[in-house]
Amino acid sequence: MMIYLRLIWSYLKIGFFGFGGGYAMLALIENEIVTPGWITEKMFTDIVAISQMTPGPIGINSATYIGYVAPTHSDPALANPVWGILGSIICTLVVVLPSFLLVRYAGHYIMKHRDSVAVKGVFAGLRPVVVGLIASAALLLMNRENFGESGPDLAKSIAIATAALALNLFTKIHPIYIIIAAGFSGWLLF
């Protein structure tokens, strides 16, 4: 049962300091959830993939999924799906709570003083931080779970990623078709 209190504390921190959206939150989520050993690096990579494929923000989707698997993974006595559903509800509500409170109470102040030098300075300072957090998420996902160990698997993974990037940058093919083609290529090659 202590896992739920620890999840609440972790997701409050993620919710309050996860500026820049879901991708910017990934490094915080990894630090708060994978580092203590509640889930493995492989599970985290799978959670990110599933969160990207399902509708909705990646930060909330990953919180829902992690809330479901973390209690079971950390304590086998909580293997009943009811405990996983409870964890999903708790993590989802807790990760949304800080944003809700900030918008509810600070939104009025920000709109009233949006032309203020101080408010403009705060947002100007947050922009590079958000870019850094998103870059950190990209580097975080460049791991052996996503690209394989070394040798032929790594080369195949890099080829698929490079082809997908090139198709996205230099053609007008819709991204969903590129994702489907990349998935089919991975299925054929691996």
Side-chain angles (χ1 to χ4, degrees), residues 45-61:
T45 301
D46 292 343
I47 288 168
V48 170
I50 291 168
S51 296
Q52 290 174 329
M53 292 187 302
T54 53
I58 189 171
I60 295 171
N61 291 346

Side-chain angles (χ1 to χ4, degrees), residues 34-78:
V34 177
T35 303
W38 297 343
I39 61 171
T40 64
E41 189 71 38
K42 173 74 171 122
M43 290 172 75
F44 179 70
T45 301
D46 292 343
I47 288 168
V48 170
I50 291 168
S51 296
Q52 290 174 329
M53 292 187 302
T54 53
I58 189 171
I60 295 171
N61 291 346
S62 63
T64 304
Y65 192 75
I66 289 169
Y68 188 83
V69 299
T72 303
H73 186 75
S74 66
D75 184 0
L78 300 174

Side-chain angles (χ1 to χ4, degrees), residues 6 20 33 82 124 143 160 162 176 187:
R6 291 173 27 205
I33 306 300
V82 171
N143 56 30
I160 292 171
T162 303
I176 194 70
W187 179 72

